């Protein structure tokens, strides 16, 4: 069996996905959460931040306006710095408290940084 080339996803907020961000790179494996906004091309929104989602690989997911969805996939950056997440997983997360979720991301990152610094000689 060949080793998997699938990278673990990094949970981020849409506000963090700016061209100047270290996460804004071709092929980055990300987990994003936002409210479903548009049906022609799936667009999610968190505050004023928006991201296009390519859902062609997803099955059995029903999109409803004003519902919150979470996607895991790889970031594809167009030459004009337009970003599209090629989703491999998608799920409805209605009921998720986005403020609490964002706080948990901060605590998780602090914990991961502490673990990394404790492992360094």
């Amino acid at each position: 069996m060949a080793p998997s080339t699938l990278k673990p996803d990094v949970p981020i907020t849409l506000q963090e996905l700016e061209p100047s961000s270290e996460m804004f790179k071709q092929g980055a494996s990300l987990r994003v959460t936002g409210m479903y906004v548009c049906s022609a091309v799936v667009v999610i929104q968190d505050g004023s931040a928006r991201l296009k989602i390519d859902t062609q690989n997803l099955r059995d997911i029903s999109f409803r306006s004003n519902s919150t969805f979470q996607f895991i996939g790889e970031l594809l950056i167009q030459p004009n710095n337009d970003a599209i997440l090629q989703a491999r997983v998608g799920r409805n997360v209605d009921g998720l408290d986005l403020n609490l979720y964002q706080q948990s991301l901060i605590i998780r990152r602090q914990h991961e940084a502490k673990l990394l610094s404790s492992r360094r000689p």
Side-chain angles (χ1 to χ4, degrees):
M1 186 166 157
S4 175
T5 59
L6 196 59
K7 296 177 255 176
D9 60 274
V10 176
I12 64 165
T13 66
L14 292 183
Q15 288 89 358
E16 295 173 309
L17 195 57
E18 296 289 327
S20 60
S21 166
E22 66 182 47
M23 294 296 148
F24 194 84
K25 56 186 169 191
Q26 193 73 266
S29 185
L30 304 175
R31 180 184 312 169
V32 295
T33 305
M35 186 178 296
Y36 173 74
V37 177
C38 179
S39 62
V41 172
V42 173
V43 176
I44 60 171
Q45 178 174 323
D46 183 5
S48 63
R50 289 179 164 220
L51 181 63
K52 294 177 186 174
I53 309 291
D54 176 351
T55 61
Q56 69 180 343
N57 296 325
L58 301 181
R59 302 288 178 260
D60 300 326
I61 186 167
S62 298
F63 294 106
R64 293 187 317 263
S65 292
N66 297 322
S67 280
T68 304
F69 289 85
Q70 187 173 71
F71 297 95
I72 297 173
E74 283 60 52
L75 191 64
L76 304 175
I77 302 171
Q78 309 300 312
N80 62 353
N81 267 354
D82 194 21
I84 299 173
L85 188 79
Q86 187 172 14
R88 55 184 151 89
V89 177
R91 65 181 181 155
N92 182 299
V93 291
D94 281 343
L96 177 69
D97 183 327
L98 286 176
N99 289 325
L100 189 57
Y101 179 74
Q102 291 171 359
Q103 290 174 26
S104 74
L105 289 181
I106 292 168
I107 293 168
R108 174 186 172 151
R109 291 174 187 158
Q110 290 170 346
H111 178 69
E112 288 172 345
K114 186 177 177 181
L115 282 175
L116 280 175
S117 66
S118 69
R119 291 181 183 161
R120 292 186 183 141

